[in-house]
Structure formats: C-alpha cells, structure tokens
Amino acid sequence: MTVARTWAVALSGLRGDLVEVEADVSSQTPEFSIIGLPDKALGEAGRRVRNACTNRGLDLPKRRITVNLSPASLPKRGAGFDVAIAVAALATSVEMDAAHVASTVHIGELGLDGRLRPVPGVLPAVAAAQRAGHTRVVVPTANAAEARLVDGVEVHAAACLAEVVRWHGGRTEAADLAPVTAPIADGTDDAPLDLADVVGQPAAVDALVVAAAGGHHLLMSGPPGAGKTMLARRLPGILPPLDDEAALSVASIRSLAGETVTRLSRIPPFESPHHGATAAALIGGGSGVVRPGAIARASEGVLFLDEGGEFPASVLDALRQPLESGMIQVHRSGVAATFPARFQLVIATNPCPCGLYGVPGAACECSPQAIRRYTRRLSGPLLDRIDIDVRLQRVSSARQEVDARVVTTADARRQVDAARGRAARRWASTPWRRNADVPGTWLRGPAAPPPEVLRPLDVALRRGALTLRGYDRLLRVAWTVADISGHDQLRLDDVGRALFLRRGASA
C-alpha cells in the first residue's frame, strides 16, 4: 500500500474537528514532510515518529513520506497528532488491517522510545469523535479513564506504538513498554463546607441562599474578618449537583487545562484567582494552543474574586461580556477558541485599602482620594451586572446566641432545591429553568406581573436610579424571592425584598 489513512482530532477550545491523516510514499529520497497547516510542534512530529519507530523495531520506508492533514485550511496544533501520523506512515509498508486503521481515531504524543505520552484535551477530543460518528479510538494509557467517560466509544489504551500496530493486525517482535503515568489531580471530592460554621451573619446567609436559588451574582463588602470568604466558599455546597451534560463540560475544560480526569464530578467547580492575576489568566490564552482561563474553569460553578478592589480595573471589566453572553471568546494571532462561561460571580471587597472605613471603634487612615480610587475599581457597568449587594459588619460575639437561627448547608440546599423546582415548573414551556437565565423581554412581556407590583421598579427607572438591565435583574431576583417564599405569583413584598438586596442589604 502506498497511501494509508487514519483519523485524528484538532481542538479549538471545546470544539473538536476530525482530521483525516493521509500518508503517501513516493520517491527514493529519504524525507518526512507534514503538510496541511501544522504548527511548529506538529511540524516536528516527523522526527519523533522516525525515532519512535526505529527504537521499537518498526521500519518506516526509507523513501519520501508525505503526510497530509485534511482539511488543509484547518489549523492543527500540538503533539496529539503523533500517533495518527506514525500509524498512517507505518501502514504504507507494514501489513495491517487497512479498514481497521482507516476507521480508528488516534490521539497521543510519542516519546523517542515509542511510548505513548498523555496529552491534554483527550475528553473533548473523544467526544468530538463520537459526535462525528466514530466509535473506536486509541489513546495513551494515562488518558484511558477520561476517554472512557464518553459513552458509545470503544477505547483502546496503549502504552507504546508497537501495541497499537499489533492491535491493528500488524506483526512486530518489539517488546511492550511500561506505560507513562500521569499525576491524578482530581482525587476524592472535598466535603462541602457547612453554613452552620458561619456565626452572626443571618442576613448574609439569606442572601447567599437567594443567590444560589436563582443563579444570581453577588457582591459582599465589609471589613477584613467579617466572613466574606467564609460565605463564598460555602456557596458550591448549596448549589444543586451537576447534571450529566454540565459534569461532562466541566471535566472537558479540566482536561483542556492539563488535569488528569478520571471521573465526572457532580460538585460545581469553585475558582478563586489571585488579585494579581492578569486578564489573560482570567480569560484564557496561550501561544499556539489556547488554554481555558479562570472564567471557563468556573463555568457551571462559582467564580470568586477575593479582594475585588485589588484587581486591576481592566481585569474586572473583562468579566462584563461573558456575564451577559454566558461564553468567552479568546482570539489570538491565527487562532480563536470559544469556552463556556456560565458561572456565578461572587466578589468580596473591603470598604477602603486598609479595610477599616466605617468600622465602629476603628480608625481608617486612608485619604478620601485613596478611598475613591479603590471603590472605582468596580466600574458602574460591572456593578450593574451584580444582582445582590450585601454589606457585612464584624461579628461582635464569637459564639452563636442561644436563640439564634442556625442554617446548615443541608437546610439551605433544601430551600434551593425547592425554589429551583418551582422556577423550573414555571418556565417549563420555555428553554429556561433558572430565573437568572430568563431574558428581560420575557419578564416584562409574557411573564409580566400586574402594574401595581412593578410600580417601585418603574419609579426607580424613571428617576434614573435603575438602568433597564438593572430593572430586569431585579425582576429575576424578585421571582427567586417568590420561589423561596412559596408564592405562585410575584407580589409587591417580593419586589421590595429584591430592591433591598440590590441596594446593599446590611448583614
């Protein structure tokens, strides 16, 4: 056979495109060339393939080998094409089952000794192969667990190239090698932190439950030690577990980020980037292969920005577009990638650089100009996308009062599940299930409550105290308050509670 074919996958974000790998042997001049818009890492695959084959006793033809990656107009990046290129090249001279080779997708990087090394993004790559109708894939042994998370695909895990050749019906005397292992980064899920640990912040706990029930964004401001971080870290524990689609999306993003995924976690992710993070770290990027940033890794979960006032304004403003669209598009020279960005934003900030402005019994040493500069880091357009604003004060007692209402994580989760169930039934005839996802045109149109219920919002809109975006966000929070209260229709007190939460509820 002079021309052999097999398949690989080119990833762009979570999207995977099937690439046909063709190998052809022509003249007597020994050469190995790869065409079809490869990047530098892929262009070097010829050397890795030659050495891997030689060291495994697999003889490539000592002639000109041309490997074509089709479609030629699609950019291909990374070393994940190595195995497909090697198998196609070997199939031109080694007797293998041509139909078996041509119907198999190969994913993996080759070491010089012929071992298959793990690569990032195997899970979305296998999912792309399955969507394209392929039912058989070869992956490195270290990536086998995540590849098997995709239903309907036969996964063959191989430790070395000789194994792959034998699996395709070829004969080789080369001994098998020990597989390359990869560190497992997703061990047992941590037990959710309990809300019962929070002392003396009942209003903040109530606001956290409202945020979880409706999928709303939350701002918490207050002095250091008031419990902002403690509250934020307990939000994932009261969110509903991820369904199959969301869990697969989360696992795919983690795979793209280079983590070893062995199972689908049902706990919503929690991302907390440092306030020194750059816009690229938040959005995602990289040279050649685009990696997901904190926004994408937090999708289906919580993005927590601690010390929000310390983040550069340009970094914070990068959140505005994904908060509205639910996705993030990363454009780099010659490459573009789209990632999901369906996260709940939680921002914790101090009232001033020293954190003591307005704290009873404390002396703030910040100048008025420093306080203004600090608070302006959170721009008006970003604050307009925040649904709930909570102002915390320091706790005055280290122990719970005897008659104080203690809300546990289990109690809060039951409230959240019941409220989300009411919302899902109300929006059953629409594409939406959470209040935070319902567009304003629907809330002000088919689902609009009586005019007397909307009167406080209409007055605030006329006075300029609200934008139309803020109006819609208040309506979403009001519906969530109604769901928690068990109201079938929106009431005036639900709107009043939403206004209270929007304007800075004091905890």
Side-chain angles (χ1 to χ4, degrees), residues 116-338:
L116 269 63
R117 298 184 178 278
V119 292
V122 165
L123 179 54
V126 174
Q130 189 264 351
R131 287 193 298 269
H134 291 268
T135 59
R136 190 163 50 234
V137 299
V138 172
V139 300
T141 302
N143 293 126
E146 65 179 284
R148 293 191 176 110
L149 294 175
V150 181
D151 293 330
V153 178
E154 176 192 347
V155 176
H156 178 72
C160 71
L161 187 56
E163 250 186 85
V164 180
V165 171
R166 279 195 289 269
W167 185 67
H168 285 308
R171 294 181 180 179
T172 174
E173 301 300 324
D176 291 339
L177 299 174
V180 177
T181 58
I184 297 176
D186 70 332
T188 306
D189 288 326
D190 294 332
L193 301 173
D194 204 303
L195 271 177
D197 299 334
V198 179
V199 176
Q201 301 286 10
V205 171
D206 289 343
L208 200 70
V209 171
V210 173
H216 306 297
H217 306 307
L218 175 67
L219 170 66
M220 294 184 288
S221 58
K228 304 184 292 294
T229 303
M230 189 178 192
L231 285 160
R233 291 192 176 277
R234 281 152 179 78
L235 178 56
I238 65 177
L239 292 173
L242 302 177
D243 58 22
D244 291 344
E245 183 180 356
L248 187 62
S249 175
V250 170
S252 296
I253 291 171
R254 290 171 58 197
S255 176
L256 277 174
E259 295 185 38
T260 302
V261 180
T262 59
R263 58 191 171 78
L264 297 182
S265 173
R266 303 293 173 170
I267 296 178
F270 182 88
E271 286 290 324
S272 181
H274 187 265
H275 57 76
T278 63
L282 205 63
I283 297 169
S287 85
V289 179
V290 177
R291 293 282 183 256
I295 287 176
R297 295 196 303 273
S299 188
E300 307 296 344
V302 178
L303 177 64
F304 176 49
L305 302 185
D306 201 3
E307 304 295 343
E310 300 292 341
F311 281 82
S314 59
V315 173
L316 293 172
D317 285 339
L319 295 167
R320 288 156 54 178
Q321 183 266 338
L323 282 173
E324 288 295 317
S325 65
M327 64 179 62
I328 180 72
Q329 294 180 323
V330 182
H331 294 271
R332 295 292 181 267
S333 178
V335 60
T338 301

Side-chain angles (χ1 to χ4, degrees), residues 355-365 394:
L356 300 179
Y357 180 70
V359 177
C364 173
E365 299 179 353
R394 284 181 174 169

